Amino acid sequence: MIEPARRNLIEDLSMRLLKKADALGVLPTPVCQLVVTADAVLRGELNLLAEEPRASLPARLRAGWCQFRRLTDRSPALIYLDLTQLPSSQNLLTLDRLARRFLPAFVSKECQRTDRGTSAVDRLDVTDEEAAYFATQTLFQQNRFDRELAKLDVSLKAGVVLGQLFGSTVHATLSQLVMRSLKRCALLVIEQRSTVSLSTGQPVCLRKDLLLSKRFTTDYGRLCIPYELTTDWLFVQDLLASCVFREDGRTVLNTANGFATFHYHFLSQNGQGFVFIMPDGEWQFSSIRIELLGT
């Protein structure tokens, strides 16, 4: 868990870097441009503090504004999605590495400039969680992701579209979508293994990740999905059958409040299955449709 003050510091530096690199609003996010700008800042050629970043809106006000923008948006009503053109993890890895040298170096320079010691907020080490947070906040341009998300219905296809828009992986983008969404949704990532279950002799997939939105957790509590998954699970059957994409899946899952029926979207990529889960009746009202190329 990142301390709130440390989180604010990371968000502040991320926004300053985006503005100084003239990358804010440029899509896909120009990662190379950000790295060049950060290096210039560390060499003292640019002053990152020359312009104060605009304060972000509170979460509820920001969500309301995004919904207003969604209703008045005049974006194209149809988006074509090519599942053969999915971004790699290179952008996130580059920004993760940048965080590990940029954050401590910048904090050290500021402590020397202001002649103050390092507090808990100003510590020079960077944890894995902090580096990943800087990378995702910068690549998704903080509130810009919320604005783009508000234009679309919450779905697996929307996550892929946003990933291509910002230059991020399917996994990272869907994770951001679930964590920021006001809808009831969940993301399950499963991974195919060549082994079989010792108890049943069936092929095995492993649960790699499981994320729940705040509203999903409020209504259903946790999802009871084991670490080892056999073909008793429908989405495991999808992965083992080499299903590339589907959005008509239905399954019954055990939650903290009992069994419930959900529908799910499924996408396979590089031996992994992305299962996007939503309850029946979740209201969606975007006028923008996403169509798969080749279907």
Side-chain angles (χ1 to χ4, degrees):
M1 180 67 69
I2 304 175
E3 308 97 307
R6 184 75 169 181
R7 182 181 295 267
N8 291 338
L9 171 66
I10 293 172
E11 291 175 355
D12 180 64
L13 292 181
S14 169
M15 181 58 69
R16 290 180 186 275
L17 180 59
L18 284 164
K19 288 187 173 183
K20 184 62 67 175
D22 292 324
L24 201 59
V26 178
L27 297 172
T29 304
V31 173
C32 291
Q33 191 172 319
L34 290 167
V35 173
V36 170
T37 302
D39 288 338
V41 169
L42 295 180
R43 291 194 301 268
E45 299 170 5
L46 292 175
N47 182 7
L48 203 61
L49 300 179
E51 178 184 354
E52 287 295 323
R54 183 173 59 185
S56 60
L57 296 173
R60 288 187 177 274
L61 183 58
R62 185 169 66 245
W65 172 246
C66 287
Q67 293 296 345
F68 172 78
R69 290 282 296 269
R70 178 180 187 173
L71 293 173
T72 59
D73 185 66
R74 294 296 181 268
S75 300
L78 181 61
I79 297 176
Y80 289 102
L81 177 60
D82 186 357
L83 293 179
T84 65
Q85 303 294 324
L86 300 179
S88 71
S89 60
Q90 186 58 49
N91 285 335
L92 281 172
L93 291 174
T94 298
L95 290 172
D96 185 284
R97 289 193 293 265
L98 176 63
R100 296 176 189 277
R101 59 188 181 86
F102 179 67
L103 292 179
F106 183 81
V107 168
S108 178
K109 286 168 65 71
E110 282 306 292
C111 289
Q112 294 174 10
R113 185 181 67 84
T114 57
D115 195 27
R116 72 175 189 267
T118 58
S119 64
V121 176
D122 295 330
R123 56 183 169 76
L124 302 184
D125 63 303
V126 178
T127 66
D128 291 344
E129 186 179 7
E130 290 171 346
Y133 186 67
F134 176 88
T136 54
Q137 286 294 299
T138 305
L139 186 62
F140 292 115
Q141 300 187 28
Q142 300 193 23
N143 295 346
R144 179 58 187 263
F145 183 87
D146 298 319
R147 297 205 302 271
E148 298 299 331
L149 173 60
K151 299 176 184 178
L152 305 170
D153 284 338
V154 175
S155 66
L156 192 151
K157 286 194 295 191
V160 179
V161 166
L162 292 172
Q164 293 180 342
L165 185 64
F166 286 91
S168 176
T169 63
V170 173
H171 192 169
T173 310
L174 286 173
S175 298
Q176 288 295 306
L177 188 156
V178 169
M179 289 188 290
R180 300 187 189 207
S181 178
L182 300 179
K183 301 287 187 180
R184 296 175 297 174
C185 57
L187 172 66
L188 169 67
V189 183
I190 59 178
E191 188 171 51
Q192 185 174 351
R193 292 297 175 93
S194 59
T195 57
V196 297
S197 171
L198 295 179
S199 58
T200 65
Q202 295 181 348
V204 168
C205 288
L206 301 181
R207 188 193 71 226
K208 186 175 181 181
D209 202 0
L210 178 60
L211 297 171
L212 314 177
S213 70
K214 290 182 179 179
R215 278 201 60 201
F216 191 102
T217 303
T218 299
D219 287 3
Y220 295 100
R222 64 186 180 89
L223 277 179
C224 304
I225 298 179
Y227 177 69
E228 185 179 276
L229 301 164
T230 66
T231 51
D232 293 334
W233 299 80
L234 295 178
F235 35 76
V236 171
Q237 296 176 26
D238 293 332
L239 182 59
L240 296 180
S242 300
C243 173
V244 176
F245 179 82
R246 67 177 298 189
E247 51 185 349
D248 59 350
R250 291 181 64 81
T251 187
V252 176
L253 298 176
N254 189 12
T255 76
N257 297 328
F259 288 93
T261 301
F262 298 90
H263 65 267
Y264 71 88
H265 303 169
F266 177 85
L267 171 70
S268 65
Q269 182 190 25
N270 300 328
Q272 292 184 347
F274 298 93
V275 187
F276 190 80
I277 302 166
M278 295 187 74
D280 291 335
E282 192 69 13
W283 188 47
Q284 307 264 28
F285 61 90
S286 174
S287 61
I288 300 177
R289 291 188 299 114
I290 303 173
E291 297 286 346
L292 295 182
L293 288 175
T295 60

